[in-house]
Structures are given as structure tokens and as C-alpha cells.
Amino acid sequence: LAGFDGCEFYIEAWPELVGKPMSQVAFAFDTAIVVGVVTGAGRLILNPPNRYEISEDDRIVVIAEDNDTYSPMRGGFHFHYEQCMHRVAHP
């Protein structure tokens, strides 16, 4: 169950994400997957709503390969809806 192979959960504060909505934070990491937030009060929120705004005391929960393999992308958050959509043939 525990080991050092594969991806693991990491919880860390990122001051540059304070004030950002989860809809942007979800795409802030190129090499990690955001799964939730631990609030300043210690409450774990998995899959927070898109409108949830990161507070100064919040810590971001991600799944990543290692704690030194991820950080927020520099230069802002760029989400291209068209790149994420797959065309599905309708019968």
C-alpha cells in the first residue's frame, strides 16, 4: 500500500494561486493533477466547485510523481477548451 513507486498525494501552499478560482487552479499544473484543497481550518475539500476561490491559508492537494516534479505554470493559466474536447460521432 505504501511505497515510493508511482504517483502520490502532495499537499502544499502556493501563494501565487491565492485569489484564483478552482476553475483556473485545476489547470495550473502541467505535471500534476489537482484533486482538492485543505482549508486553513483543516477541512479537506475534494473536487471543490469551480467557483471556489483559493484563500491565503489554503493548501492545494495534487497527485504527482514526486514533490519536486510539479509547480504552477509560469505566465498564467491557459485553458483551451478546443484542445480538451473530443469529437464524438452521433448515430
Side-chain angles (χ1 to χ4, degrees):
L1 185 61
F4 295 103
D5 291 336
C7 294
E8 300 177 57
F9 287 96
Y10 295 97
I11 302 170
E12 190 169 344
W14 295 97
E16 58 267 46
L17 299 179
V18 171
K20 303 286 186 199
M22 187 54 65
S23 59
Q24 290 182 11
V25 173
F27 298 99
F29 300 91
D30 197 26
T31 57
I33 299 169
V34 177
V35 296
V37 173
V38 175
T39 68
R43 179 175 174 231
L44 173 62
I45 305 172
L46 294 176
N47 193 24
N50 285 335
R51 68 183 179 281
Y52 182 89
E53 193 172 288
I54 301 300
S55 299
E56 193 172 321
D57 296 332
D58 285 349
R59 294 178 293 150
I60 309 298
V61 181
V62 303
I63 297 175
E65 186 176 347
D66 204 346
N67 65 338
D68 61 357
T69 62
Y70 72 98
S71 63
M73 291 184 285
R74 298 194 188 281
F77 311 105
H78 303 286
F79 172 63
H80 299 285
Y81 182 79
E82 297 81 17
Q83 293 177 352
C84 295
M85 296 302 297
H86 298 277
R87 291 193 176 249
V88 177
H90 295 284

